[in-house]
Each structure stands twice: as structure tokens, then as C-alpha cells.
Amino acid sequence: MKKYAFLFPGQGAQVPGMIKDICDAYPEARAVVDEVTKITGVDMPKLLWESDAATLSRSDNSQLAITTASLAVMAVLKTKGIEPSAAMGFSLGEFPALYAAGVLSFEDVIKVVRERGLIMQATCENIAKANEGHAPGMTAVLGLPPEKVEELANGIKDAYAANLNSPVQTVVSGTADALTQIEAAAKEAGARRALRLAVAGPFHSPLMQEAADNFEKAIAGVTFNNPDKTLFSNVTGKQAENGEEIKKNAVLHLTNPVRWTSEEAVLNDLIKASGDEWELIEPGVGAVLTGLWGKSGYAETAECKAVNSAESINTL
């Protein structure tokens, strides 16, 4: 019997009109969109299908939109008998993974993601105001191993390896001055490119401590259950098994790096050890994680498919 691992996309995957064709074709998906509207009071059809790219790029909009898309696709896959035995998500994507693994209820994951997006947006706006045109941000370093980028970042004040995406791609968060320094250091070390990203803030670094403090208060009363499926953590890069630890890591998540390469390696080992046939699915919008899995060297172990359109669902 084939087993499935779901890999949930993070912030940045959003596009105007996302999952419209899926909702038109599958009432189960539209029901999820309507339920999110009911829980949050946000007009989700308008946000998903009528917003422009700039509106969707705001953290308070993109996080809710992407999570809704992932859960809507999950609902359709369930009707086809496709449910995850393992789950993990990139950055924001860890939250729909928590739902998939039974850690958070549907209502709780929507409320938690809504609060997270609002808090992160407010923090980014505060950072921008305080720095007057020199706000902290993120730089993608291409062509160097993560360990080397971490070493370079550790030698620069206010530079932090934030997203360990692949063996040749690491994103660094930092102040404007620190990013200028890491870009020069990376190129000197042989990086193919060091590209400043158009993002709202220095995500997954200590510079987001204000957001972490506020998010900790926001989720204080939320129950995080022990997972009932295999679940992996961005913070540790390993399997997560305890609900209270997962709750603590949900806060640390905002100021600590996404150890995606470690999660991929652990998943690859699990698949190999199981002796079962596995397929990886990226549900919702975009295909970034499918691409990273393909570049990881693990594609021979299991294929990863992006399920982000009615056509891609129909071909499963």
C-alpha cells in the first residue's frame, strides 16, 4: 500500500486567483474556503481571487490565504483516499502540517495562523518605521553549502542563516548593513549569486523577537496535541513527538532558522527504512518544495508532486 508525505508550502507561494479552479471543480475545497471566512470574518473568496499581488504579499493576508489553499486541497485529496502518513511544512507551512498531524484542530490552526500573520505584519511595519529606508531583510545565497553560509553569517554582527533550503541555497536574515556584508563575503567565498529578496522583514532570526513575544501570548490558551502522524520540525530539523514541545517550537519558529535540508534528510531516511512505496505531495499553491526535493538528491527515493490545480488533482 502506497504511503504519502505532505510537504506544505510557505509564505511567498501566494498568487492572485489561487485555487479558484480547484474550488470550482470540487465543492469540498470551496467548503473549506467558506469555513475559513466563517471562522475569521475575512472574505476569503475576495482575498484569494480578487486581490492583487501586493495585497496578497502582506503577511496578514498571505499566511491565511496559503494555509486555506493547503487545507482546501487536503480536503479534496481525502475524498480520493489520499491522506498523509507524514507531514512537514516550510516556515508558515508547518502550521497546516500541524493540522495534518492532528496537533491542531481545523478551527485552531486557522485562528493561530490568522494571529501569526497579523503579528508578523505589525512587527515588520514597526521595523520598517524604526529603520527609515534601511530596514532589515533577507538575502538568498546560491552556490554555497549551508554550513559555509552559517559560518559566514556567524562572523557578521546581526546576520543570521534563516532558511536552509537546499545543499546550494541558503537565505540569510539581517540588518541592511549585515546583508551588504554577507553578500560581499559570500561572493568572495565563491557563491554563484547573493540576491537581496523583496520581503517584508528579517524572518526566522532574532530580529523578529517582538513577533515571537506577542505570538507566545496569542497561543497561550491553545491546545497542541501530540501528533498522531509522523511530523517534522523546522526548528530542530528532526521528528516532533510532543505537543508541548511543538507549542514551544511554534514560538521559537519565528526567531530560529528553517532547517529544511535536515528535515528532507530525515524524511528520506524514514522512507528508505520503511520498505514501503511512498509519494510526496505539495498541496496548495506553487511548487517550490517539489523543486527543492528534486535538487536534494533524494528524488530516487520518492517522487514529489505539486498538487496546485484541478488538473494536477485529476491526474493523481
Side-chain angles (χ1 to χ4, degrees):
M1 181 178 176
K2 183 186 287 187
K3 291 185 175 180
Y4 296 92
F6 283 10
L7 280 57
F8 293 94
Q11 193 168 343
Q14 72 278 349
V15 292
M18 53 201 285
I19 68 165
K20 180 68 165 65
D21 63 327
I22 295 174
C23 289
D24 288 344
Y26 294 98
E28 299 87 357
R30 179 57 192 254
V32 168
V33 172
D34 291 341
E35 185 63 19
V36 174
T37 295
K38 181 179 176 183
I39 291 169
T40 63
V42 176
D43 186 337
M44 291 307 298
K46 182 177 181 179
L47 177 62
L48 291 168
W49 306 325
E50 298 178 26
S51 299
D52 59 20
T55 300
L56 272 177
S57 70
R58 291 174 53 94
S59 290
D60 49 354
N61 292 329
S62 62
Q63 295 196 22
L64 186 60
I66 293 164
T67 300
T68 300
S70 288
L71 299 189
V73 172
M74 268 190 69
V76 177
L77 294 177
K78 186 175 182 179
T79 68
K80 295 180 173 292
I82 299 174
E83 297 191 69
S85 295
M88 62 193 210
F90 190 96
S91 188
L92 163 70
E94 190 155 292
F95 289 87
L98 296 184
Y99 168 70
V103 175
L104 291 175
S105 68
F106 182 93
E107 183 170 353
D108 280 345
V109 78
I110 294 302
K111 288 181 176 178
V112 164
V113 166
R114 177 62 173 157
E115 283 297 315
R116 186 178 185 270
L118 288 167
I119 287 167
M120 288 179 66
Q121 181 65 32
T123 297
C124 289
E125 289 175 2
N126 290 341
I127 288 173
K129 288 177 184 176
N131 288 273
E132 296 182 356
H134 299 281
M138 304 178 85
T139 287
V141 178
L142 309 178
L144 291 179
E147 299 80 8
K148 181 61 178 177
V149 179
E150 285 191 286
E151 178 188 328
L152 294 174
N154 289 340
I156 297 173
K157 186 178 185 297
D158 294 328
Y160 308 93
N163 297 342
L164 284 66
N165 292 348
S166 81
V168 293
Q169 183 187 118
T170 301
V171 177
V172 177
S173 285
T175 61
D177 181 57
L179 292 181
T180 298
Q181 292 182 57
I182 195 74
E183 288 159 6
K187 290 174 183 175
E188 185 176 340
R192 191 169 73 252
R193 285 186 79 190
L195 177 67
R196 192 75 59 99
L197 301 180
V199 295
F203 301 132
H204 298 290
S205 80
L207 300 172
M208 293 295 291
Q209 188 61 52
E210 175 191 318
D213 292 341
N214 290 333
F215 188 57
E216 183 174 22
K217 296 171 187 174
I219 65 171
V222 179
T223 298
F224 282 61
N225 302 305
N226 294 338
D228 57 19
K229 296 180 176 66
T230 301
L231 176 71
F232 302 102
S233 166
N234 284 180
V235 172
T236 67
K238 301 175 182 178
Q239 188 170 342
E241 299 178 342
N242 179 273
E244 282 303 311
E245 179 185 356
I246 293 168
K247 185 174 185 177
K248 290 176 183 176
N249 283 340
V251 176
L252 292 173
H253 200 235
L254 291 169
T255 56
N256 282 262
V258 174
R259 299 195 174 277
W260 191 251
T261 52
S262 298
E263 289 181 74
E264 287 183 320
V266 175
L267 175 60
N268 183 64
D269 289 343
L270 179 148
I271 292 171
K272 283 187 170 181
S274 73
D276 296 313
E277 180 187 0
W278 285 72
E279 186 172 300
L280 278 54
I281 288 179
E282 182 178 0
V285 60
V288 170
L289 304 184
T290 299
L292 291 180
W293 181 260
K295 294 174 183 175
S296 68
Y298 305 136
E300 291 183 2
T301 302
E303 183 181 5
C304 187
K305 295 180 179 177
V307 180
N308 52 22
S309 65
E311 182 181 359
S312 62
I313 292 174
N314 295 338
T315 58
L316 289 174

